[in-house]
Amino acid sequence: MATSHSVLHCRGRVLGLEQPVVMGVLNVTPDSFSDGGRFVRLDAAVERALQMAEEGAAVIDVGGESTRPGAQPVDLDEELRRVIPVIARLRGRIPAILSVDTSKPQVMDAAVAAGAAMINDVRALRQPGALEAAVTSGCAVCLMHMLGEPRTMQESPSYHHVVAEVRQFFEQRFEACLVAGLPAERIVLDPGFGFGKTRAHNLELLRHLGDLSVDGLPILAGLSRKSLVGALTGRPPEERVHGSVALAVIAALNGASILRVHDVAATVDALKVVSAVQNS
Ligand code: 7PM
């Protein structure tokens, strides 16, 4: 196996990665929960998180900024209003690690104060102040590769050699983290499927997932319901469960330690099968 780090340190807690684990996606955006107003949305988000924990998610990733292709940035106060109450309500209620999906240092600080133990940053701590916020937080961090910005990244992504370029990006960000005082035990790398990548790029990265890791750091893969699944199956997002589970299985077999998914129960079952095969 390409990854030699089999644990992730998350603010005094240890997430075991001997077997692949699931990170459940909790989008707290107006388009993800029916709009009965802010408090209805909060209740619905908390309910969904409890369900994902029950289904076996080891991590719950709470996000308030839509990073879908073409999305507009979200204002700081609005992002705080979306994610902080959810994290605060979940703190201590579930065994899952709480992750905050953000690029803003102010959101990282507030989320950590509310109970988050992981930071998932699609901009890999490149916003001013983000690296420092992550270092002092004690949190684990997910460094994701993205070519460009969400608003424009899918316009015409181009690489000479996608695997080598993503790997080089990981090397640079890993070095920046070490220099800033963020140790390897707190870092996970993510190729950012769909973030400035064509279908061919995504498939190339998936096939070579094991070659992407730097210093044996664990790999996180997010393929769930993405347009890649749509392109391969011809199905709309709500009908992409089976294709997504197949991709999660392939990613795990190719060395991914954390699978970021919407359909937790189905993926947890599939990964139990993968683990049994890997450990026999
Ligand atoms: C529309 C398209 C809405 C895509 C939302 C998305 C990743 C992530 C996302 C990922 C990490 C989604 C994506 N994808 N963070 N955030 N890795 N670390 O499926 O692949 O939620 S947004």
Side-chain angles (χ1 to χ4, degrees):
M1 193 95 323
T3 56
S4 58
H5 291 266
S6 57
V7 295
L8 196 59
H9 289 237
C10 314
R11 278 183 85 205
R13 292 182 57 190
V14 175
L15 176 63
L17 298 176
E18 300 84 3
Q19 263 97 51
V21 301
V22 163
M23 167 190 264
V25 178
L26 189 69
N27 282 323
V28 194
T29 49
D31 48 314
S32 32
F33 286 104
S34 64
D35 205 6
R38 209 170 279 283
F39 293 104
V40 176
R41 220 152 61 209
L42 174 59
D43 284 342
V46 169
E47 231 13 80
R48 177 73 192 124
L50 297 178
Q51 184 188 12
M52 289 194 292
E54 192 73 31
E55 291 174 354
V59 183
I60 308 278
D61 189 36
V62 184
E65 184 203 15
S66 180
T67 40
R68 76 176 60 221
Q72 296 295 324
V74 173
D75 157 74
L76 170 64
D77 288 332
E78 178 57 23
E79 198 180 332
L80 288 168
R81 278 194 295 272
R82 288 178 186 175
V83 300
I84 303 307
V86 177
I87 294 170
R89 282 263 300 266
L90 290 172
R91 171 181 223 156
R93 277 185 72 180
I94 49 174
I97 299 278
L98 297 174
S99 163
V100 62
D101 183 348
T102 191
S103 298
K104 296 187 180 76
Q106 302 93 328
V107 177
M108 294 174 189
D109 290 342
V112 170
M118 189 180 303
I119 295 166
N120 172 28
D121 184 3
V122 299
R123 294 180 185 79
L125 307 176
R126 285 177 293 165
Q127 298 287 88
L131 183 52
E132 294 74 13
V135 171
T136 51
S137 72
C139 285
V141 299
C142 175
L143 303 174
M144 199 196 79
H145 175 273
M146 169 164 56
L147 184 69
E149 268 291 303
R151 206 171 49 76
T152 54
M153 64 190 177
Q154 287 305 92
E155 280 169 16
S156 58
S158 154
Y159 301 83
H160 289 292
H161 187 333
V162 67
V163 173
E165 285 171 50
V166 170
R167 195 173 191 289
Q168 189 173 37
F169 174 81
F170 289 158
E171 282 167 2
Q172 288 165 359
R173 296 312 298 155
F174 177 45
E175 181 61 22
C177 286
L178 291 182
V179 168
L182 199 115
E185 297 72 39
R186 286 166 49 195
I187 301 174
V188 46
L189 305 173
D190 179 350
F193 290 103
F195 287 84
K197 281 118 192 158
T198 63
R199 161 174 150 173
H201 295 142
N202 288 319
L203 291 174
E204 180 81 357
L205 288 167
L206 181 59
R207 251 190 313 268
H208 295 278
L209 213 52
D211 307 332
L212 283 174
S213 182
V214 170
D215 201 49
L217 295 181
I219 301 272
L220 183 152
L223 293 146
S224 181
R225 299 190 191 175
K226 284 190 177 166
S227 59
L228 174 64
V229 186
L232 299 176
T233 61
R235 298 190 183 278
E238 64 278 10
E239 293 174 16
R240 294 177 186 167
V241 183
H242 304 89
S244 297
V245 171
L247 289 174
V249 166
I250 296 164
L253 288 172
N254 287 359
S257 296
I258 306 179
L259 289 309
R260 184 180 181 278
V261 307
H262 300 85
D263 303 288
V264 173
T267 312
V268 166
D269 271 9
L271 293 180
K272 285 179 183 169
V273 174
V274 172
S275 295
V277 174
Q278 283 178 328
N279 297 324
S280 65

